[in-house]
């Protein structure tokens, strides 16, 4: 994962995320936390935005990787890849539907210069149509 | 669709959205983009908020309308309209449940005076209990 | 429910939420509205953040409690508690999955010193692995 800070009134960065499977919840907590630390903002809001239509973002448990595996499996059960009724011809309707369910943006507070995640929380980039090289936009706005 | 700018420190507007079916994902990208352009904010955050309990908002592919149709159909399959177990007596429990799943707010960055959507992304107002005249609130906060 | 204001450039508070069942959608609208009123911010954004991995936040109808009951029941049907395939050993995979579906953050506008909810909207803390004592973080940013 690489980061590319961009100019602007509020520090904005982009993380490049390389995914390895068709569906993958990738823990990007450390990379986002580093962007926040580098921004040297004491108190504020960190916005995460996924500019894709077959990938999303969630905050959930990162301590046990089985949790992410269970979320992936549950989404696959709820939204099958090959439902006969899909109209979109690219074979990734399930990827778009999963993205609609989990969402493409998240908001996390910054306190005392750090991302204020809960004790067990981590940030997961949700790949639903990989493997691909993806982008995660991060904006850091001081209070 | 009509827009009504309101006064305030940050430009805030309301889009009036007229839906035509009980369930309809309506592409409102152009109207939101125009509000952002009119606000003349170079860099910032655009907040979208749906003040209803049976309608939501998502960001997903707008190039092929079959994607929105597949999302509508998948939600209808996951949350049937006439489940026997529903307690709410108005016959629109499915509409409330779908709203809980997709959410009522979204956040998109503004860069170089424009809504910074991904290449294939559009903004969809999600009607789940129409047809109705609905409202979409938009707040534009400069960095 | 008790509130504990914290210092900072933008008023930030924490609500302590005590839940009574394993799954419970708890109406926290009045407590959040009071924090906003106490902050004396005329126009701005109210951010809600749940720092847990088995609890989320939604905005939906609060007038008829049957709506929350139907949302709880629909999530239980979509994500069974005891699916044989879960890998996470703590018996609360369903709680993590429901959290991923509804999300852990919400954004509501503030106008004329008040939380600008729609006519039928209320804010629900979504307990998915209770009963527990939980935390809801609230940040109020003036425009």
């Amino acid at each position: 994962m690489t980061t590319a800070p961009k100019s602007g009134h509020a520090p904005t960065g982009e993380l490049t995320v390389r995914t390895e499977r068709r569906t993958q919840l990738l823990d990007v907590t450390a990379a986002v936390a580093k962007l926040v630390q580098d921004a040297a903002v004491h108190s504020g809001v960190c916005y995460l935005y996924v500019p894709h239509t077959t990938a999303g973002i969630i905050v959930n448990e990162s301590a046990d990787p089985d949790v992410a595996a269970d979320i992936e499996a549950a989404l696959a059960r709820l939204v099958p890849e090959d439902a006969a009724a899909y109209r979109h011809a690219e074979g990734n309707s399930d990827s778009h539907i999963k993205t609609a369910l989990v969402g493409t943006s998240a908001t996390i507070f910054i306190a005392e210069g750090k991302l204020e995640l809960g004790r067990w929380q981590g940030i997961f980039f949700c790949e639903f149509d990989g493997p691909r090289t993806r982008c995660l936009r991060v904006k850091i706005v001081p209070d």
Side-chain angles (χ1 to χ4, degrees), chain A residues 40-52:
Chain A
V41 164
H42 183 73
S43 181
V45 178
C46 174
Y47 300 95
L48 304 173
Y49 186 81
V50 176
H52 304 289

Side-chain angles (χ1 to χ4, degrees), chain A residues 79-143:
Chain A
V79 188
E81 182 177 347
D82 56 356
Y86 293 144
R87 292 164 54 170
H88 181 53
E90 294 178 14
N92 62 356
S93 287
D94 63 315
S95 319
H96 289 288
I97 295 161
K98 290 173 179 177
T99 301
L101 290 176
V102 307
T104 56
S105 59
T107 301
I108 303 166
F109 299 165
I110 297 167
E112 299 180 5
K114 290 181 185 170
L115 211 52
E116 199 183 27
L117 289 165
R119 181 174 177 188
W120 303 105
Q121 285 183 327
I123 304 164
F124 290 91
F125 184 92
C126 303
E127 174 64 81
F128 294 129
D129 193 26
R132 296 205 206 190
T133 299
R134 298 289 205 171
C135 172
L136 173 62
R137 293 186 189 142
V138 183
K139 183 185 280 265
I140 295 161
V141 178
D143 285 343

Side-chain angles (χ1 to χ4, degrees), chain A residues 25 58 60-61 66-76 102 124 126:
Chain A
L25 268 60
I58 62 166
N60 212 294
E61 180 177 329
D66 281 348
V67 170
D70 283 345
I71 295 172
E72 280 184 49
L75 288 170
V102 307
F124 290 91
C126 303

